[in-house]
Amino acid sequence: MKPILIVGSYLSPYVRKVLACLEVKGMAYEVDHIVPFFGDDRFSRLSPLRRIPVMVDGDLVLSDSSAICQYLEDKQPDPALLPKDIADRARARWLEEFADTRMGDVFIWRFFNQIAIRPSVWGEKGDREMVDRTLKEEIPTVLDYLEGEAPADGFRFGSTLSVADITIAAFFRNAGWVRFQIDAGRWPKTAAWIARVLASPPLAKLAKIEDAVLRVPIAEQRNALKAMGAPVSAETYAGPAPRRGIMPV
């Protein structure tokens, strides 16, 4: 069978989430490594919002990380990414949603975007005032909430990694690249939980690939991935220059 195609950047937390789920399930996949905003006209047809990741599996195209992960769970239920208990399953979906929305807004758009994406993709100066306010006010409220959800040991729903663990931890990888670390004195359970998730085999494997291209110029990242043996697709939906999507951020 043809591998599942994931269109998107290895450096995106939303792509990381999907790739980690594929790794957990041992499903064959290829990655069309596209830096956010660099998709061409064909990419716009795959992803109407011009957002990543996009999954192509035969005739099926999906362009939302949660929808993709649910599809993977339905397609190959074992090993499971959601707990068996119905209440726990609902809770896992909520934590996934909290991460994708609230953490995405705080850690990516208000923080990582201002420090890394705006300068490297658009050649713009980031909003330092927004970064400072996010560090002082927004990130602590997120961590206060996570401290109440963090398990004393293992993962959120026991000894098995879930999509909730993966999704939450994925955002801290990007934050770490711009020198943010969880204060283990103030949020000890969260710091230990995220460290366990990021050290798990699926995310540790992806981290090696991410680190290899993190500071490689955008135009050279695809070749760098191929050189290290990453599962890069032969064809690409990338365009030569960044283009903004229809969403305000």
Side-chain angles (χ1 to χ4, degrees):
M1 293 181 64
K2 189 174 182 180
I4 291 172
L5 175 65
I6 303 298
V7 183
S9 171
Y10 270 102
L11 306 182
S12 159
Y14 298 98
V15 174
R16 183 177 304 116
K17 164 187 168 181
V18 169
L19 297 183
C21 290
L22 285 161
E23 289 287 343
V24 168
K25 292 183 174 295
M27 301 172 76
Y29 67 87
E30 292 181 338
V31 179
D32 178 7
H33 179 76
I34 292 182
V35 174
F37 308 107
F38 274 81
D40 61 15
D41 288 340
R42 296 170 305 150
F43 175 77
S44 297
R45 291 192 287 272
L46 292 180
S47 179
L49 302 181
R50 291 186 59 79
R51 293 288 180 89
I52 55 173
V54 175
M55 184 204 75
V56 181
D57 188 18
D59 293 332
L60 177 65
V61 177
L62 293 174
S63 56
D64 174 81
S65 64
S66 294
I68 294 168
C69 291
Q70 185 60 60
Y71 170 74
L72 298 176
E73 183 78 347
D74 292 340
K75 181 170 182 168
Q76 185 174 303
D78 187 42
L81 286 163
L82 288 168
K84 291 183 179 180
D85 179 80
I86 187 171
D88 284 346
R89 290 172 74 88
R91 193 69 185 169
R93 290 189 179 102
W94 153 245
L95 290 171
E96 179 186 10
E97 175 66 16
F98 175 81
D100 281 346
T101 53
R102 177 59 174 159
M103 292 182 67
D105 180 45
V106 171
F107 282 94
I108 300 303
W109 297 113
R110 296 176 181 269
F111 188 59
F112 187 73
N113 177 51
Q114 303 303 325
I115 300 172
I117 299 175
R118 286 183 65 180
S120 64
V121 173
W122 305 108
E124 300 174 350
K125 185 177 180 180
D127 186 334
R128 187 67 232 183
E129 182 179 347
M130 179 182 290
V131 169
D132 292 341
R133 186 169 62 251
T134 299
L135 283 168
K136 182 179 179 180
E137 301 174 7
E138 304 291 342
I139 289 178
T141 64
V142 170
L143 288 168
D144 285 345
Y145 177 73
L146 292 179
E147 189 70 7
E149 291 288 338
D153 53 34
F155 303 118
R156 178 58 179 81
F157 298 99
S159 60
T160 304
L161 197 65
S162 75
V163 70
D165 300 293
I166 290 169
T167 309
I168 289 168
F171 288 96
F172 288 101
R173 274 288 287 167
N174 289 71
W177 290 334
V178 287
R179 301 183 179 181
F180 174 83
Q181 298 294 327
I182 301 171
D183 182 347
R186 185 173 177 182
W187 299 285
K189 291 197 301 179
T190 303
W193 173 32
I194 299 307
R196 288 192 297 272
V197 178
L198 293 178
S200 66
L203 286 158
K205 177 181 177 179
L206 292 171
K208 292 180 181 179
I209 299 174
E210 296 162 8
D211 289 342
V213 296
L214 181 60
R215 290 178 172 80
V216 174
I218 289 173
E220 300 172 21
Q221 288 182 4
R222 190 176 183 86
N223 287 334
L225 288 165
K226 288 180 179 178
M228 70 177 300
V232 179
S233 62
E235 303 285 331
T236 182
Y237 287 93
R243 295 162 52 185
R244 298 185 188 275
I246 63 173
M247 301 294 282
V249 294

